[in-house]
Amino acid sequence: MAGCNILIIDDDRELCTLIRQSILQEGIEADCCYSGSSGLLQLKEKDYQLVILDVMMPGFDGFETMEQIRKESSLPILMFTSKNDSASKVRGLRAGADDYLTKPFDMDELIARIISLIRRYTRFNGKDGQIRTYEFDGLTIDHENRCVITGNGEFELPPKEFDVLLFLAQNQGRILTKRQIYETVWGEEYIYDDSNIMAIISRLRKKTEENPGTPKYIQTVKGIGYRFNKEV
């Protein structure tokens, strides 16, 4: 993890210091900001591989801060929520958080999640800028040739099917809402018509899954959207 930098946005200064000291042992450096507004300014000054963001902050709270970050960046965001606050967890995931932890948390678990999110992000955002072939367990997505390879061979997908699959895979492990998928792939304002997305997901599962009824790659997150399985 050498050379990686993360930004911690949390008004709890003692916790920020503790996290920073702990991740330094993994070769990860961290900057700390104690408000949403200062965090947004800091993101413009330096390149980061991850943002840790607390939900409860005075003034610009975590949700408002994340909304602004998502207008500019696809950086992975790990949110801190309060214990038993399921509403904040769901709202955070809908708004674009990649993962969350409830306070208080185990530091070893936080470090493990930080490393996992950074690895996933750098895997799909190489500094060389080259087009990639994405390798998963039993599935290869060839970005350059816009085709997929499964146990049944190599074949091309219709444009929208490929674009949806690629968007999900590039955000592996992150829950994506139907709005996010539609507005990214179609490039239009979401009109609350899920039939196109649902039909494409169904076709993708039939073409890429050994058992479409219990999908290995594209998982449904009930009431929110879809997620490309982070375990493959």
Side-chain angles (χ1 to χ4, degrees):
M1 290 282 108
C4 290
N5 296 283
I6 73 170
L7 178 63
I8 306 168
I9 307 175
D10 193 322
D11 61 328
D12 187 334
R13 293 173 181 260
E14 291 185 7
L15 178 61
C16 288
T17 300
L18 179 60
I19 294 172
R20 185 179 185 185
Q21 292 173 341
S22 298
I23 63 174
L24 274 174
Q25 299 175 27
E26 303 293 331
I28 302 171
E29 296 187 8
D31 294 321
C32 300
C33 292
Y34 308 112
S35 69
S37 56
S38 62
L40 292 171
L41 290 173
Q42 180 63 29
L43 280 169
K44 297 179 183 297
E45 299 295 324
K46 191 172 177 180
D47 290 330
Y48 294 98
Q49 284 71 52
L50 173 73
V51 175
I52 294 178
L53 181 61
D54 188 32
V55 168
M56 299 298 294
M57 291 186 292
F60 224 48
D61 69 17
F63 296 117
E64 293 171 304
T65 303
M66 180 163 58
E67 182 180 351
Q68 294 302 312
I69 293 173
R70 281 289 172 251
K71 289 180 179 179
E72 306 276 340
S73 172
S74 60
L75 271 175
I77 298 175
L78 188 154
M79 293 201 79
F80 287 154
T81 63
S82 301
K83 190 175 182 180
N84 299 323
D85 186 1
S86 58
S88 288
K89 297 171 190 174
V90 172
R91 183 181 173 189
L93 292 171
R94 284 180 179 271
D98 297 273
D99 203 352
Y100 67 85
L101 272 179
T102 56
K103 292 182 177 181
F105 52 81
D106 179 79
M107 188 61 68
D108 288 338
E109 182 179 3
L110 173 63
I111 292 172
R113 295 195 184 203
I114 289 172
I115 292 173
S116 176
L117 286 168
I118 290 175
R119 281 177 175 164
R120 191 185 316 156
Y121 177 72
T122 54
R123 176 184 181 186
F124 294 118
N125 294 272
K127 294 181 180 179
D128 56 10
Q130 296 297 309
I131 295 173
R132 302 224 173 178
T133 297
Y134 305 139
E135 302 280 351
F136 303 100
D137 182 14
L139 173 67
T140 298
I141 304 174
D142 186 338
H143 191 176
E144 184 171 13
N145 296 306
R146 295 182 65 83
C147 66
V148 297
I149 303 170
T150 70
N152 295 322
E154 179 178 339
F155 53 94
E156 294 184 8
L157 294 173
K160 284 294 187 287
E161 289 183 23
F162 184 86
D163 290 342
V164 169
L165 178 63
L166 182 65
F167 182 54
L168 288 166
Q170 287 177 324
N171 290 276
Q172 185 183 17
R174 176 181 168 193
I175 297 173
L176 298 171
T177 65
K178 293 172 183 176
R179 173 189 288 274
Q180 289 172 312
I181 295 170
Y182 188 88
E183 293 185 348
T184 298
V185 173
W186 275 263
E188 302 172 359
E189 185 178 356
Y190 183 58
I191 55 174
Y192 302 100
D193 178 6
D194 297 336
S195 58
N196 276 340
I197 296 175
M198 293 173 67
I200 285 177
I201 295 294
S202 177
R203 292 198 297 268
L204 283 173
R205 285 173 172 163
K206 290 177 181 176
K207 294 175 181 180
T208 62
E209 303 278 0
E210 289 186 14
N211 185 355
T214 53
K216 175 180 178 180
Y217 305 113
I218 302 175
Q219 303 172 320
T220 298
V221 182
K222 190 174 181 180
I224 301 178
Y226 299 97
R227 170 177 55 196
F228 197 93
N229 188 359
K230 65 181 177 181
E231 303 297 334
V232 297

